[in-house]
């Protein structure tokens, strides 16, 4: 028998405890990611071991919700990776134009910037009125912020550059109003966005859709979990539907790789075969 160090034993026990008590399943997230976040939180407490942390998580719901926030990284931005959005506009929008009604799923939408970016492109391409955008995340705190559509002014300069690089047709300032140090996204962008709490690990097929964007989420999952979530996407997409992953993500080694053709290899855009 190999002797394991204590944290190798404690970590799975903590994740099991979180799952048993709160129903959030992190057991197949990437170990390096989970360990880093847990150790960061531990360092902010007077506790000395993951086992002590487990005790605290089980008995202190406020602390548990803080730890759950730690485990979900909600970093995002408007028109993140502008070249991706440029490709989306050039290669995916023409496909969407062939459908009478369009359903789009942003899985792991965080605070909503990705869904607002999509709404802007669809408006400029005269597709918004026949589209429903489902924007989902398992982090309710992030979803509440997304629904508000209020963002910090500080980022607007960067977002404006992203929008222009992504092939934006108007002035980015047309899509928000400034108030103090915040910007409020235009109400018309929210009209066809449905915000919903959905857990990619524990929930089943969400809806039948024409386009799925799940960008910068799968990097936090181990290979088995990535495969399971890819099945969920495969089952949710219509034939000929489009799947968009993050720049650092891929379909390589997943069971469904052969079921897609590449639309844009570099931008990780794939089309489900007919
Ligand atoms: C880094 S953000 C990516 C946001 C956006 N897609 C982007 O690329 O800018 C990852 C998001 O995935 C969400 N997430 C992580 N695990 C999830 C799960 N099991 N179910 C649903 N969302 C999850 C997190 O809450 C977080 O908001």
């Amino acid at each position: 028998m190999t002797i394991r160090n204590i944290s190798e034993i404690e970590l799975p026990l903590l994740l099991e405890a979180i799952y048993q008590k709160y129903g959030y399943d992190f057991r197949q997230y990437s170990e390096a990611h989970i360990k880093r976040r847990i150790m960061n939180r531990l360092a902010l407490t007077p506790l000395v071991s993951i086992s002590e942390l487990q005790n605290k998580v089980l008995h202190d719901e406020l602390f548990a919700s803080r730890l759950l926030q730690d485990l979900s990284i909600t970093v995002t931005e408007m028109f993140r990776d502008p070249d991706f959005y440029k490709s989306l506009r050039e290669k995916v929008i023409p496909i969407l134009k062939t459908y009478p009604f369009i359903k789009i799923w942003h899985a792991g939408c965080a605070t909503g910037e990705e869904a607002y970016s999509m709404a802007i492109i669809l408006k400029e391409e005269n597709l918004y009125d026949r589209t429903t955008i489902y924007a989902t995340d398992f982090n309710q705190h992030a979803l509440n912020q997304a629904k508000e559509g209020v963002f910090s002014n500080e980022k607007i300069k960067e977002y404006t550059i992203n929008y222009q690089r992504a092939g934006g047709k108007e002035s980015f300032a047309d899509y928000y109003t400034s108030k103090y140090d915040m910007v409020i996204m235009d109400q018309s962008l929210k009209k066809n966005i449905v915000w919903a709490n959905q857990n990619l690990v524990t929930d089943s097929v969400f809806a039948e859709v024409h386009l799925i964007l799940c960008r910068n989420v799968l990097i936090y999952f181990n290979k088995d979990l990535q495969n399971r979530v890819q099945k969920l996407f495969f089952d949710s997409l219509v034939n000929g539907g489009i799947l968009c992953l993050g720049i650092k993500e891929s379909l390589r080694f997943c069971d469904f790789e052969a079921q897609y053709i590449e639309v844009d290899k570099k931008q990780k855009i794939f089309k489900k075969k007919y």
Side-chain angles (χ1 to χ4, degrees), residues 24-26 29 33 68-69 71-78 80-81 85 106-114 136-140 142 197-203 213-221 225 229 246 249:
Y24 286 98
D25 190 355
F26 293 101
Y29 277 53
H33 158 64
L68 292 174
Q69 292 299 327
L71 297 179
S72 102
I73 311 231
T74 54
V75 177
T76 184
E77 62 188 62
M78 215 70 93
R80 183 179 195 174
D81 307 317
Y85 281 94
H106 289 270
C109 69
T111 40
E113 285 82 339
E114 197 182 73
T136 68
D137 205 283
F138 78 154
N139 182 331
Q140 192 57 44
N197 194 309
Q198 197 270 356
N199 190 327
L200 288 165
V201 182
T202 46
D203 295 339
L213 295 97
C214 184
R215 308 189 67 233
N216 309 300
V217 180
L218 298 179
I219 30 168
Y220 300 112
F221 297 175
L225 185 53
V229 176
E249 295 158 338

Side-chain angles (χ1 to χ4, degrees), residues 21-22 45 47 52-68:
K21 171 98 200 255
Y22 300 103
T45 69
L47 309 171
E52 285 183 30
L53 197 79
Q54 176 181 318
N55 186 45
K56 178 109 176 125
V57 165
L58 284 173
H59 296 99
D60 180 343
E61 294 200 358
L62 199 65
F63 182 81
S65 83
R66 203 170 302 139
L67 191 70
L68 292 174

Side-chain angles (χ1 to χ4, degrees), residues 75-99:
V75 177
T76 184
E77 62 188 62
M78 215 70 93
F79 295 96
R80 183 179 195 174
D81 307 317
D83 287 344
F84 161 76
Y85 281 94
K86 203 156 197 264
S87 182
L88 185 90
R89 204 190 271 265
E90 286 165 8
K91 297 182 177 146
V92 177
I93 291 290
I95 299 173
L96 296 184
K97 283 190 172 161
T98 64
Y99 297 117

